[in-house]
Amino acid sequence: MHKSGGRQNMRILHTADLHLDSPFEGLSAGKAALRRGEQRDLLYRLAELASKEQADVVLLAGDLLDSDKAYRETAEDLVRSLSMINAPVFISPGNHDWYSPKCPYAKTRFPENVHIFRKQEMEAVEVEECNAVVYGAAFTGKHSEALTDDFKVPEKNADKLNIMCIHGEYGNRESLYNPVSEEKISVSGLDYLALGHIHKASGLLKAGNTYISWPGCPEGRGFDEAGEKYVSLID
């Protein structure tokens, strides 16, 4: 991130695609329950990392949950772990955990530092202590049309850090999952675009003056997702 005018540096912890409460259908009931418990442990590791690295914001870019249902233990651990983070947390529901009035996000009482994007239209949230704005939107069904094509940073926010957290597929205009256009992002005015959806980490990309990445899934769910897994720390 750059510094100019009224802008200042900030540190972002960005992750996506945890797929909490995956069914693990190939395992026995006992082993599947054990794996789901290990997934929940990841939430506390993220909270510890946010504290250790002094993250200014935490971005969860979709598919935090594997479906529109969640075990009671998962909801409890989610609330407890996110409350341990001493920074604003933003959640953008994706195609697996899309937002509806009956989804776990609607039925769970989250701590005050957590903001969940609930509509399929762009919303802006000020993070005053960082002189930043975080934009985001939610999937409200299993698929989504392009949500970023018409987005441009408002002139009033030009001297701030402008961050977007959203679930979507970059560079594939035929995607059913919020296709994100490199050309459109290059003129958006964003400083950083935090994506989720693809389970393999992208590394840091750039379109125009906008940096872009998706971290992939932080923990594999099967032999097809073996190897090193990551979350992203963006300065």
Side-chain angles (χ1 to χ4, degrees):
M1 291 300 178
H2 53 282
K3 181 190 290 185
S4 64
R7 301 183 182 201
Q8 62 187 54
N9 292 332
M10 67 185 297
R11 173 161 285 189
I12 300 166
L13 175 58
H14 167 202
T15 189
D17 298 292
L18 277 69
H19 287 276
L20 298 173
D21 289 342
S22 293
F24 296 110
E25 294 174 342
L27 300 178
S28 66
K31 288 184 177 179
L34 179 62
R35 285 293 292 121
R36 287 192 291 271
E38 291 171 344
Q39 282 187 311
R40 292 194 290 271
D41 289 343
L42 181 60
L43 293 169
Y44 293 99
R45 289 160 56 196
L46 289 169
E48 290 172 4
L49 183 63
S51 176
K52 177 184 175 183
E53 296 292 342
Q54 298 182 316
D56 294 302
V57 295
V58 176
L59 307 179
L60 303 175
D63 288 359
L64 176 59
L65 305 171
D66 191 62
S67 72
D68 60 353
K69 298 178 176 61
Y71 286 89
R72 176 181 55 81
E73 296 89 343
T74 300
E76 291 174 351
D77 281 334
L78 188 57
V79 169
R80 189 177 299 116
S81 61
L82 296 183
S83 70
M84 294 166 57
I85 297 176
N86 188 30
V89 178
F90 294 89
I91 299 175
S92 266
N95 59 295
H96 276 262
D97 58 351
W98 48 278
Y99 190 87
S100 77
K102 296 182 179 180
C103 76
Y105 295 131
K107 295 188 291 185
T108 302
R109 185 173 180 178
F110 284 85
E112 291 184 359
N113 65 316
V114 177
H115 183 90
I116 301 170
F117 296 108
R118 301 168 186 266
K119 297 180 180 180
Q120 202 168 10
E121 57 190 49
M122 208 59 67
E123 179 186 356
V125 182
E126 296 259 357
V127 184
E128 293 183 2
E129 56 269 33
C130 297
N131 194 31
V133 183
V134 177
Y135 307 87
F139 276 60
T140 55
K142 293 182 178 180
H143 304 109
S144 174
E145 61 187 9
L147 299 175
T148 60
D149 277 4
D150 297 327
F151 176 84
K152 287 195 176 181
V153 169
E155 183 62 32
K156 66 178 182 178
N157 294 335
D159 65 340
K160 300 177 182 178
L161 284 168
N162 291 281
I163 314 299
M164 183 181 288
C165 174
I166 200 164
H167 201 73
E169 189 168 358
Y170 185 70
N172 178 8
R173 298 301 293 166
E174 304 302 318
S175 175
L176 299 175
Y177 307 103
N178 177 28
V180 179
S181 162
E182 177 180 354
E183 179 184 4
K184 300 287 188 179
I185 293 301
S186 70
V187 295
S188 66
L190 288 169
D191 291 293
Y192 180 60
L193 172 59
L195 290 172
H197 187 61
I198 303 300
H199 285 199
K200 184 176 180 179
S202 65
L204 195 60
L205 309 175
K206 195 175 184 183
N209 290 322
T210 302
Y211 288 95
I212 305 142
S213 80
W214 52 94
C217 59
E219 186 168 310
R221 295 182 297 156
F223 292 115
D224 59 335
E225 293 180 349
E228 294 289 337
K229 300 297 174 188
Y230 309 93
V231 299
S232 295
L233 279 168
I234 306 295
D235 287 319

